Amino acid sequence: MQSYTIGQAARLLGVSPDTARRWADAGRVETHRDESGRRLIDGRALAAFSVEVGQSAAAGEEDAAFTSARNAFPGIVTAVTLGDVAAQVEIQAGAHRLVSLLTREAVEELGLEVGMRATARVKATSVFVDRS
């Protein structure tokens, strides 16, 4: 499973590294250390936490400092639902929860799974997902 540094997690959550560090210090998200002593957050734990942060920000409980440049929403995959032909992918990008319906084949080719970085690109009524 992919892990993220505090800085990477902060970018995915749309907050400053200091905010992400404070959240980790307060025990809001679990961290572990790698061989070189860096604090890391497990991808699945970060995905679950990003949903919590997004819901709080959407409810106005916390400041969400997330902006979109050219309709690109970098975030973390929080859910993947595979059907026989179609699939649904949910991405939490700061305070924004984006849901994309695409083919199962596309999800498998991208290797999308909960906890990995991805970017949702929005054009009109379509959402395209790039693996980051």
Side-chain angles (χ1 to χ4, degrees):
M1 172 48 56
Q2 186 167 357
S3 292
Y4 298 91
T5 65
I6 295 289
Q8 290 170 325
R11 281 189 296 283
L12 292 169
L13 294 169
V15 298
S16 73
D18 286 338
T19 297
R21 198 171 294 108
R22 280 193 301 274
W23 286 341
D25 291 344
R28 289 189 62 192
V29 62
E30 186 178 330
T31 64
H32 63 278
R33 298 212 180 252
D34 67 6
E35 317 76 53
S36 62
R38 293 183 310 165
R39 288 194 335 180
L40 301 174
I41 302 171
D42 174 75
R44 288 190 182 274
L46 183 59
F49 183 66
S50 71
V51 171
E52 175 188 324
V53 169
Q55 289 170 345
S56 296
E61 296 175 17
E62 297 190 28
D63 276 340
F66 185 83
T67 61
S68 170
R70 295 192 174 107
N71 300 324
F73 293 81
I76 188 166
V77 176
T78 58
V80 176
T81 305
L82 297 174
D84 292 336
V85 176
Q88 178 177 307
V89 176
E90 294 182 32
I91 296 174
Q92 192 71 39
H96 308 286
R97 176 179 165 262
L98 297 111
V99 179
S100 179
L101 299 175
L102 54 163
T103 66
R104 178 186 182 119
E105 182 181 10
V107 170
E108 290 172 347
E109 283 179 8
L110 290 169
L112 294 175
E113 59 184 47
V114 172
M116 58 183 348
R117 286 183 290 178
T119 301
R121 299 195 187 276
V122 180
K123 181 177 180 190
T125 58
S126 300
V127 176
F128 301 87
V129 177
D130 298 335
R131 183 172 170 182
S132 303

